[in-house]
Amino acid sequence: MPIDKRWVVKPQGEPRAAEEIAAAAHLAPVLANLLVQRGIDTVEKVQKFFNPDLADLHDPFLMKDMDKAVARVEQAVRSGEKIMVYGDYDVDGTTAVALVYKFLRGIGHTNLLFYIPDRYDEGYGISFKGIDYAARKGVGLVIALDCGIKATEKVLYAKEKGVDFIICDHHLPAEEIPRAVAVLDPKRNDCNYPFDELSGCGVGFKLVQAYSQRNGIPFANIEGLLDLLVVSIASDIVPLTGENRILAHYGLERLNTAPSEGLSSIIRICGLDKHRITIDDIVFKIGPRINAAGRMRMDENDENAAPSGGYAAVELLVEGNRKSANAFGDVIDSFNRDRKSIDRSVTQEAHDYIENNPELKLRKSTVVYNPKWMKGIVGIVASRLIETYYRPTVVLTMSNGLVTGSARSIPGFDLYQAIESCSDLLENFGGHMYAAGLTMRPENVSEFARRFNEYVEQNIDPSILIPQVDIDSELRFADITPSFSRQLSRFQPFGPGNAAPVFVTRGAVSHGSVRLVGAEMEHLRMDLAQRGASGPVLQAIAFQQPEHYEWIRSGRAVNICYQIVENQYRGMVSTQLRIKDIKTVNE
């Protein structure tokens, strides 16, 4: 049964500022208003927004410890010391490792290796196993990316083994900062770097930028790494504002014109080589394939298997030979096919379990546990369950004798606090307001489920259990001209902090084709016009909304909220409405 959504039109921008911007920037009034709504409320800010410039990137040496980090890398490069580039197994971690590894290799440092921890044996972040591996291999310096900000004990352990650490992270630090040679993290309280929303790969890039600046390497020589960085920015869902907007803009240019061989192979596999790649394409097609490698358990009996799935992803991303890159790309794609098959199956099992337990179905939270589910996909399953039940969700499985899992929340509810209220039942946990991971002993699962739900029942505002669609503005179909679409495209790249705008149009009716599409006829594709008004007939797609088919096919009116996108098909580009929600109009 589809969830009824609440539509909320945002407060409109200050009219005088919008009028001034519309005139100066030659923008449609609706789009000028959109800028003002987002705080881009002067002509100067508009110019900066529409014309991202690499010259506006911040000086990397403004970041705390950057001078120490560069000096230590210079020392290692001068002496030919063995460097290990270490990163997490997700997209941000693997792209970060690939970026720094490729840079060091590119400046001629060959005494080099990389390491990705195994999700199943080592878990997230810096591991004792990884440090022992570095020591055995004679590594003197580890550059840790997208992890390490809380690895206080492990950094001390490494120091005892004669291994130095440079940490490049973007997560919130604990009270104690690890005693590494350098700790680069713009979220440090004692760091005055002007932008603290970089991805882990972004922090790695600032290290590369700083090294290049200090050693006379032209910026043009590192621009080729921006294709990896934009994949990280998009996939890690960091705000597309400030420095990230600049880096993403130029990263997309690189991804579309001269991507590395590894990314080219994924682009080909995704079928994205025939049209311009967007942030959405990274989020929904490129990123999941890279991520899938780190989610899958490697075959322990296969002598030729990579040490971890994430390791295979980095091998792909650093590969310079096209034939080898294509072979790695096929392996990564097979991981993704396996991952999709498993997460569909587990999602269905979890859904059936909830539907067959009326008491669980009526709760304001979801906690489901099955020791046979794969650890690497429980986060995806939690997100899928929220799409159906729309409430804070925890999905648990068994790994290495402990119950482990992922939790996801809905806007407005602090999931981390709910989990923290059960901390006495947990071995460890971490995360933030909307996503978290946790581990507990098997005997604590039922009590955790009871107390977690009790906390949610007592603390959640019932109104937020109704999904909300935030609408930027009302729009007539007559306003959606080719000029309007071109102006709107200048707002890209879209993402957090600069979301693709959502418009509402009232009184839309079918004008031609209305049909169900998709493997299970789960999507609704149609041509729409606005009733009683002149204007274009527009193609529209409503994903997962087949229930409106008969109503619209009969010619009755609907109100729709939607995003305007470019649909690229067989080399043809057309304007399409991507419908977020439909409400029938009773006449």
Side-chain angles (χ1 to χ4, degrees), residues 47 88 108 130 178 189 208 290 294 317 337 351-352 383 441 516:
Q47 291 302 321
D88 189 23
N189 288 331
V208 164
I290 298 172
L317 296 173
R337 288 195 302 273
H351 181 271
D352 291 346
S383 297
R441 296 186 183 280
L516 293 171

Side-chain angles (χ1 to χ4, degrees), residues 388-405:
T388 303
Y389 300 103
Y390 202 72
R391 59 199 191 189
T393 298
V394 183
V395 179
L396 301 167
T397 186
M398 178 76 79
S399 179
N400 297 326
L402 290 172
V403 171
T404 184

Side-chain angles (χ1 to χ4, degrees), residues 108-119:
H109 190 76
T110 55
N111 201 5
L112 191 62
L113 71 157
F114 61 82
Y115 189 91
I116 304 292
D118 183 85
R119 178 190 291 262

Side-chain angles (χ1 to χ4, degrees), residues 211-247:
Y211 184 96
S212 300
Q213 212 168 287
R214 181 68 58 83
N215 288 276
I217 299 169
F219 191 89
N221 288 24
I222 62 173
E223 270 191 68
L225 300 170
L226 292 178
D227 59 351
L228 288 166
L229 182 48
V230 71
V231 171
S232 147
I233 288 169
S235 301
D236 216 52
I237 323 292
V238 291
L240 268 167
T241 57
E243 204 164 28
N244 282 341
R245 179 172 171 82
I246 299 169
L247 294 167

Side-chain angles (χ1 to χ4, degrees), residues 340-492:
K340 284 200 289 189
S341 172
I342 293 166
D343 88 52
R344 270 196 303 268
S345 170
V346 171
T347 300
Q348 188 60 52
E349 286 178 31
H351 181 271
D352 291 346
Y353 179 76
I354 295 166
E355 290 297 314
N356 292 326
N357 285 270
E359 183 191 349
L360 183 58
K361 194 175 176 183
L362 292 171
R363 289 179 181 171
K364 289 186 171 65
S365 71
T366 298
V367 180
V368 287
Y369 167 55
N370 187 322
K372 295 180 181 177
W373 290 339
M374 181 182 282
K375 178 183 175 183
I377 53 89
V378 291
I380 296 173
V381 174
S383 297
R384 296 259 195 273
L385 291 176
I386 285 178
E387 289 173 11
T388 303
Y389 300 103
Y390 202 72
R391 59 199 191 189
T393 298
V394 183
V395 179
L396 301 167
T397 186
M398 178 76 79
S399 179
N400 297 326
L402 290 172
V403 171
T404 184
S406 288
R408 299 290 183 269
S409 193
I410 58 174
F413 183 76
D414 193 329
L415 179 80
Y416 188 85
Q417 284 188 4
I419 291 172
E420 191 173 42
S421 74
C422 306
S423 60
D424 58 302
L425 299 171
L426 305 176
E427 297 301 300
N428 54 59
F429 66 98
H432 51 78
M433 183 170 178
Y434 293 121
L438 62 163
T439 304
M440 70 189 81
R441 296 186 183 280
E443 59 268 25
N444 289 342
V445 171
S446 59
E447 180 62 7
F448 170 81
R450 186 191 69 77
R451 278 177 43 191
F452 179 82
N453 184 67
E454 182 177 71
Y455 182 94
V456 174
E457 294 269 356
Q458 292 172 358
N459 291 277
I460 200 163
D461 178 348
S463 69
I464 70 171
L465 291 167
I466 302 170
Q468 179 171 307
V469 180
D470 291 317
I471 295 164
D472 292 275
S473 184
E474 295 223 11
L475 194 65
R476 300 172 305 154
F477 279 4
D479 294 326
I480 306 175
T481 63
S483 172
F484 182 92
S485 297
R486 282 194 299 274
Q487 291 174 29
L488 180 59
S489 70
R490 296 181 66 198
F491 282 70
Q492 294 193 41

Side-chain angles (χ1 to χ4, degrees), residues 58 77 107 159 183 266 273 310 335 396 456 535 570 573:
H58 301 302
V77 170
I107 62 172
K159 193 168 286 189
V183 179
I266 302 180
D273 49 345
F335 284 150
L396 301 167
V456 174
R570 293 182 178 174
V573 180

Side-chain angles (χ1 to χ4, degrees), residues 292-331:
R295 294 184 188 281
M296 304 305 289
R297 182 183 281 280
M298 306 307 293
D299 184 354
E300 295 174 0
N301 298 315
D302 182 357
E303 292 180 0
N304 298 313
S308 72
Y311 192 97
V314 178
E315 284 186 312
L316 165 71
L317 296 173
V318 302
E319 181 55 62
N321 177 274
R322 179 167 299 181
K323 186 176 179 182
S324 298
N326 285 340
F328 280 131
D330 290 337
V331 170

